[in-house]
Amino acid sequence: MENFEFYNPTRVLFGKGTTDRTGEVCAGFGKRVLLVYGGGSIKKTGLYDRIHRSLTQHNLEVFELPGIKPNPTLSKVREGVRLCKEKNIEVVLAVGGGSVLDSAKIIAAGARYEGDPWDFFIDKSKVPGRIPLVTVLTLAATGSEMNHNAVITNEATKEKLGLGHPALFPDVSILDPENTFTVPKDHTVYGIVDMMAHVFEQYFHNTPETPLQDRLAESIMKTIIEYTPRVLENPKDYDARATIMWCGTLALNHLLEAGVEGDWSSHDIEHELSAFYDIPHGAGLAIVFPQWMTYVLDEIPGKFAQFAERVWGIPRGNRSDEDLGRAGIERTREWFREIGAPTTLREVGIGEELLETMAEKATRRGPLGSVKKLKKEDVLAILRMCL
């Protein structure tokens, strides 16, 4: 196990009815609120009215930034930063999934910065801190509600970059599972794939002697696998939605990565796919991850064999680590298909045309990952396997 420092200052309010505490929580930080949300689904479900009622009950002045896309864009972030400065915003309130939360994080930091917020993604030391940030989660997926990460797409340069900085932890996150009841099936699936992929990135590594980290990760993976059918069969199953929501948070609140060196190359590869083709992040991960697993199997065959046995319950028999690991990878691919996720690029309309361009952009700052250092030719090989 490696040395580590664990830090997570986010206060979480979890459970039924916590949405109604939004005004109370925001009022603790200021009176002028910027409400950031997506395409309007919160208005159709009644959540928008519920949030507004809570805010007005606490005499808060509300300004709005709607229209955050599933792959959030720099242009919207810039618009939010401008509003914060023009309206003297005191607290940013994000209501939505990971894309809304990520945008709100950079907006809150940009409100205290004189330059362009894209600077943060080139040099994170330029993050100056931020104004207060509260989130109300509506989609279990990214873990952004309890981590210091954000991913934004620069439409002009076709770059989708991630950033991690301690200033980006939300102050308070409200996790009310009932707010996920109306999430469409496909987005529920993509969120589940995303959280599973987050665990994969921290589970498949070269760090020796990490038994506790392994079992923490395996428990989350097994719970996701167990509860996914319940969520898909009955979207209003509160206990199933609550379990999946908490799995998504624990999958990426920095607990699993403590003491290990994660990989994250599959996420880097997928970022190119969604930057160029604007496909759902979870769909891209379902396509890339099994192929990455196959490509790096020989580097850590024992870990893949452990994954097959402990997570999928595949008996070893007389199989080698490689053969058992391969069976676990195939079961993962089958499970993605079973729950309704794509497993090939052609299923989402992507051919060979831009594979080399994406491989080049993915590695422009150097090789990816830690299990196996992936150069351009490696990334290109994995993308071709995804076809």
Side-chain angles (χ1 to χ4, degrees), residues 46-361:
L47 179 58
Y48 174 89
D49 290 337
R50 188 175 177 186
I51 294 284
H52 249 280
R53 186 161 54 248
S54 180
L55 295 173
T56 55
Q57 284 172 351
H58 287 82
N59 302 312
L60 300 177
E61 188 174 3
V62 182
F63 303 87
E64 297 189 15
L65 179 69
I68 304 296
K69 294 182 177 181
N71 286 309
T73 60
L74 179 61
S75 60
K76 270 294 177 182
V77 167
R78 287 170 174 159
E79 185 180 343
V81 170
R82 178 181 55 78
L83 278 170
C84 284
K85 292 177 179 179
E86 287 180 357
K87 306 298 183 182
N88 296 314
I89 296 298
E90 295 174 298
V91 54
V92 176
L93 170 62
V95 180
S99 298
V100 174
L101 273 57
D102 284 8
S103 298
K105 289 179 178 184
I106 305 303
I107 290 167
R112 286 193 172 169
Y113 184 63
E114 292 307 314
D116 186 74
W118 188 248
D119 294 347
F120 305 156
F121 294 88
I122 308 304
D123 180 2
K124 69 179 182 180
S125 70
K126 292 187 175 182
V127 176
R130 58 162 176 75
I131 62 175
L133 172 65
V134 176
T135 80
V136 178
L137 188 66
T138 64
L139 174 65
T142 70
S144 191
E145 64 275 8
M146 201 180 180
N147 66 42
H148 67 203
N149 303 325
V151 179
I152 298 293
T153 298
N154 185 330
E155 315 98 299
T157 62
K158 296 290 186 183
E159 291 178 285
K160 183 176 182 179
L161 298 182
L163 167 67
H165 191 282
L168 301 185
F169 282 104
D171 289 291
V172 183
S173 284
I174 294 171
L175 277 59
D176 185 338
E178 291 184 324
N179 290 335
T180 67
F181 283 1
T182 56
V183 175
K185 181 178 180 180
D186 57 346
H187 288 290
T188 298
V189 167
Y190 298 148
I192 286 167
V193 172
D194 194 16
M195 65 181 74
M196 195 75 157
H198 291 158
V199 183
F200 289 163
E201 297 282 23
Q202 299 163 94
Y203 180 75
F204 295 107
H205 56 73
N206 291 311
T207 308
E209 295 295 329
T210 58
L212 178 58
Q213 291 91 333
D214 286 1
R215 284 186 164 85
L216 286 171
E218 289 157 3
S219 70
I220 294 173
M221 289 187 279
K222 291 180 73 172
T223 303
I224 292 170
I225 292 165
E226 179 182 350
Y227 276 80
T228 292
R230 282 181 56 175
V231 166
L232 298 183
E233 288 166 13
N234 179 10
K236 295 187 178 180
D237 182 333
Y238 177 84
D239 291 320
R241 285 286 193 184
T243 297
I244 288 294
M245 176 176 268
W246 193 230
C247 281
T249 302
L250 293 180
L252 198 57
N253 72 345
H254 307 298
L255 180 64
L256 298 184
E257 69 182 9
V260 308
E261 183 184 7
D263 187 85
W264 297 102
S265 56
S266 293
H267 269 71
D268 289 334
I269 294 170
E270 195 292 319
H271 286 169
E272 299 304 323
L273 291 173
S274 48
F276 276 87
Y277 290 97
D278 200 26
I279 63 172
H281 180 53
L285 288 170
I287 294 165
V288 171
F289 234 112
Q291 303 302 347
W292 173 86
M293 290 174 163
T294 301
Y295 197 78
V296 306
L297 170 62
D298 292 343
E299 302 291 328
I300 48 170
K303 177 55 73 73
F304 280 102
Q306 176 181 294
F307 170 68
E309 286 188 287
R310 292 186 184 176
V311 175
W312 291 117
I314 301 173
R316 175 176 284 274
N318 295 319
R319 284 185 276 202
S320 65
D321 282 350
E322 288 82 357
D323 285 344
L324 183 56
R326 198 169 289 111
I329 294 168
E330 183 53 38
R331 183 67 190 97
T332 304
R333 185 184 290 108
E334 289 174 358
W335 183 72
F336 284 155
R337 291 195 194 106
E338 288 169 6
I339 66 174
T343 56
T344 67
L345 289 175
R346 297 197 187 281
E347 288 177 68
V348 293
I350 299 175
E352 297 185 36
E353 299 78 18
L354 295 176
L355 298 190
E356 188 161 355
T357 300
M358 290 189 288
E360 185 171 342
K361 291 201 76 169

